[in-house]
Amino acid sequence: MLCKSLCDLYENDISRSEKNMSFFIEILNYFKKKSNIEFSIRTYKDFQENINIRKGLHEILNNYDLFAKLLNPIDNILHIRIKCPVCNEYDKSSKSLQIIKDQNGNYMLKSFCNKHGDYSVNLNDKNDYVDVNTQLRDLLKGYIINRNQNVLTIMMDGSDWGGTWSNRIHCEGLLHLGEQELPLRIFTPMILDWSGAKFSKSLYMKNKDYENINNAFNDYTEFKRKYSDAGMNLLWSIACDWVGDPKKFYRNYTIEYFNILFESLEGMNE
Ligand SMILES: [Zn+2]
């Protein structure tokens, strides 16, 4: 399947990623004000060009078969993607990717665009963009955290990243990379739909299953219109309550539960 990153999809000279990030920045600024904690954002572009990410990827490629089987047992392929320098399209399945090791042990990645022919990147060159799938990203995050001991780094993810995924992909992967330690990792509550499935942005994007729920929980702009700052303040107090009483933090919550909590704000901006 041919894909393009959100940062390469433009509407009126603004990339889709810039447009989406503006909402996240607004929310992060709100939390900064509430908590008095500064934030900075590192993009995926910063992540993939990090020298330790490239080093970790090099080590993974040195043991391709083992990691391919661990991370992608369905097709035994490591999903590493490079994009055409002309149209920015890439092959999501990575099936067309060729990995060539030269006599000095360095890796060159080659692929093919139907419109623009062969292209290649050098794994050692941080100016060459290299994308990897979720499994590799998760493993490589742990790898760079272990190489950045000067600050306390915590990986924080939804609890769908816990359990088997964390054990197999993250912990087992790090062991195979020869790591002696595991990064500090915290899993947050997950928001569930009526069926107990994760309230999923991909399902929302397909616009299928969430037609009957409170639209403020589907769409941030609608959330702000309906509940304004009072809604954000309520979310903040709910999250503080979870953190203050950890048994509430290590639990999941349904979207119906939020409907009940938000009843007190219903009709405020109608
Ligand atoms: Zn192309």
Side-chain angles (χ1 to χ4, degrees):
M1 184 169 55
L2 290 174
C3 289
K4 265 192 186 186
S5 301
L6 291 182
C7 60
D8 293 320
L9 287 170
Y10 280 82
E11 283 165 31
N12 304 323
D13 289 337
I14 299 174
S15 74
R16 224 31 109 78
S17 60
E18 273 175 273
K19 191 179 164 210
N20 291 345
M21 274 310 285
S22 64
F23 300 114
F24 286 97
I25 290 167
E26 189 180 313
I27 293 167
L28 286 167
N29 272 318
Y30 169 84
F31 289 131
K32 177 184 150 184
K33 222 165 108 188
K34 282 293 213 187
S35 66
N36 281 325
I37 298 172
E38 285 290 337
F39 70 89
S40 64
I41 297 170
R42 280 195 294 177
T43 63
Y44 181 72
K45 185 179 175 299
D46 302 326
F47 172 81
Q48 60 81 37
E49 70 183 23
N50 181 299
I51 189 169
N52 283 319
I53 290 293
R54 297 299 174 97
K55 210 175 137 204
L57 206 45
H58 185 103
E59 283 187 40
I60 289 167
L61 287 177
N62 280 343
N63 223 336
Y64 187 101
D65 291 343
L66 185 150
F67 283 103
K69 202 173 167 193
L70 177 70
L71 303 181
N72 284 83
I74 285 182
D75 56 16
N76 289 327
I77 290 176
L78 284 175
H79 289 232
I80 300 169
R81 301 136 185 170
I82 56 174
K83 54 190 184 186
C84 168
V86 183
C87 64
N88 292 320
E89 277 184 3
Y90 61 84
D91 167 21
K92 198 172 182 195
S93 73
S94 307
K95 284 184 181 146
S96 61
L97 188 80
Q98 284 178 273
I99 299 165
I100 298 152
K101 195 175 192 178
D102 71 15
Q103 59 217 30
N104 299 319
N106 297 319
Y107 284 104
M108 177 183 271
L109 309 174
K110 283 181 78 176
S111 194
F112 177 79
C113 172
N114 289 329
K115 286 170 266 179
H116 306 106
D118 290 327
Y119 58 94
S120 61
V121 307
N122 184 340
L123 188 62
N124 285 346
D125 186 346
K126 71 170 200 165
N127 296 312
D128 283 343
Y129 189 89
V130 177
D131 182 34
V132 294
N133 72 343
T134 314
Q135 289 90 314
L136 279 163
R137 273 203 297 273
D138 188 55
L139 175 54
L140 287 165
K141 268 183 211 161
Y143 186 84
I144 53 167
I145 286 172
N146 279 356
R147 272 147 197 81
N148 184 13
Q149 303 286 11
N150 298 326
V151 288
L152 173 65
T153 310
I154 301 170
M155 278 180 85
M156 191 172 281
D157 298 282
S159 54
D160 50 328
W161 292 76
T164 307
W165 173 286
S166 167
N167 210 33
R168 290 283 288 163
I169 306 288
H170 194 76
C171 303
E172 223 177 299
L174 285 173
L175 281 176
H176 286 305
L177 282 169
E179 298 299 293
Q180 308 285 323
E181 285 179 46
L182 294 173
L184 182 55
R185 198 165 193 189
I186 294 173
F187 299 103
T188 66
M190 201 156 55
I191 310 304
L192 309 175
D193 70 14
W194 63 272
S195 73
K198 183 179 111 171
F199 194 55
S200 148
K201 71 174 179 299
S202 9
L203 274 182
Y204 163 66
M205 295 299 283
K206 286 179 195 150
N207 213 0
K208 276 191 173 168
D209 286 2
Y210 300 142
E211 281 162 6
N212 297 324
I213 77 149
N214 180 350
N215 200 33
F217 298 147
N218 269 332
D219 180 336
Y220 173 67
T221 312
E222 175 60 15
F223 180 88
K224 287 294 296 223
R225 190 200 65 75
K226 195 166 177 184
Y227 300 125
S228 39
D229 279 353
M232 291 301 287
N233 291 339
L234 181 54
L235 279 182
W236 172 259
S237 71
I238 293 167
C240 287
D241 187 39
W242 292 348
V243 176
D245 185 356
K247 72 175 182 297
K248 293 182 183 169
F249 191 75
Y250 296 106
R251 185 191 291 174
N252 297 323
Y253 296 90
T254 61
I255 203 77
E256 282 76 11
Y257 176 80
F258 281 89
N259 267 332
I260 293 167
L261 293 181
F262 273 76
E263 265 172 12
S264 60
L265 302 184
E266 276 309 316
M268 61 177 287
N269 282 347
E270 298 300 334

